[in-house]
């Protein structure tokens, strides 16, 4: 049995919400109640979804969109790199819209800092082929911008350089 099994944690995501099992929230509350602990949830999800799932846990630090937005304990939301250049978004959005139109089952999702092209519901072979093509297309077109193109299971994401979970983890160590 893994710790996740013991807590009854399962990935129960859907398009509208992210349900976190009560046992997980209970453990997080207990950990955050100890002044000697600094607990942070670090996610690639949007601020709204992370806040919806974990915002009710007192003293829990939250980081979303790979650290683009973060909140230390009960403090205000901040940006990891304030004033980051987002002028590339219009270009990336236009390209991803074309790929969404020509790939049945694929869609684009705009977050605060990034744009994601999701093809999890597309034909697996065609979706993967389109994802590779999109990745190369975005790399070429966005080369002059401070942007990183990430590829994951069922998605291609364009996001600002210098914002990632590793940088956010370093920031957490700095402020703790």
């Amino acid at each position: 049995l893994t710790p996740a099994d013991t807590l009854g944690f399962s990935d129960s995501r859907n398009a509208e919400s992210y349900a976190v099992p009560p046992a997980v929230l209970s453990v997080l509350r207990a950990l955050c109640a100890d002044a000697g602990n600094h607990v942070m949830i670090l996610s690639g999800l949007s601020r709204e979804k992370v806040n919806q799932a974990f915002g009710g846990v007192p003293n829990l630090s939250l980081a979303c969109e790979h650290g683009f937005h973060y909140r230390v304990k009960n403090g205000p939301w901040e940006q990891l790199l304030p004033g980051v250049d987002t002028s590339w978004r219009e270009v990336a959005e236009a390209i991803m819209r074309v790929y969404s139109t020509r790939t049945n089952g694929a869609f684009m999702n705009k977050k605060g800092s990034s744009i994601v092209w999701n093809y999890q519901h597309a034909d697996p072979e065609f979706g993967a082929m389109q994802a590779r093509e999109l990745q190369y297309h975005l790399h070429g077109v966005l080369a002059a911008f401070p942007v990183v193109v990430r590829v994951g299971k069922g998605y291609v994401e364009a996001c600002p350089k210098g914002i990632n979970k590793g940088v956010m983890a370093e920031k957490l160590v700095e402020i703790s």
Side-chain angles (χ1 to χ4, degrees):
L1 232 61
T2 68
D5 294 329
T6 305
L7 293 173
F9 185 76
S10 62
D11 188 353
S12 56
R13 290 184 266 185
N14 67 37
E16 285 76 45
S17 67
Y18 283 64
V20 179
V24 173
L25 293 174
S26 178
V27 169
L28 287 172
R29 282 188 188 94
L31 287 169
C32 292
D34 182 340
N37 294 333
H38 189 161
V39 182
M40 175 177 268
I41 300 293
L42 181 52
S43 174
L45 297 174
S46 70
R47 182 164 70 175
E48 293 75 26
K49 288 184 179 176
V50 171
N51 203 37
Q52 177 186 13
F54 299 102
V57 178
N59 295 318
L60 177 63
S61 294
L62 301 173
C64 53
E65 297 180 38
H66 307 287
F68 182 75
H69 291 108
Y70 70 95
R71 181 181 84 185
V72 177
K73 300 198 177 187
N74 298 323
W77 284 97
E78 299 179 53
Q79 283 189 353
L80 184 59
L81 297 176
V84 68
D85 178 12
T86 58
S87 60
W88 55 270
R89 288 174 57 97
E90 286 182 29
V91 175
E93 183 178 345
I95 293 168
M96 287 184 184
R97 189 175 294 116
V98 169
Y99 280 82
S100 295
T101 302
R102 70 183 195 193
T103 310
N104 190 29
F107 62 93
M108 182 181 59
N109 182 22
K110 295 190 288 184
K111 297 181 181 180
S113 65
S114 65
I115 301 177
V116 179
W117 184 75
N118 186 308
Y119 65 96
Q120 290 178 333
H121 302 295
D123 174 84
E125 287 182 36
F126 187 68
M129 182 186 74
Q130 290 292 86
R132 281 189 300 277
E133 187 178 308
L134 173 59
Q135 178 187 7
Y136 293 125
H137 194 163
L138 289 172
H139 273 295
V141 173
L142 300 176
F145 294 95
V147 175
V148 172
V149 178
R150 295 184 180 129
V151 178
K153 186 176 180 183
Y155 71 90
V156 176
E157 179 177 31
C159 52
K161 269 186 185 166
I163 296 176
N164 61 57
K165 291 178 181 177
V167 173
M168 187 64 237
E170 288 175 2
K171 176 80 172 181
L172 176 63
V173 170
E174 217 176 85
I175 58 180
S176 291

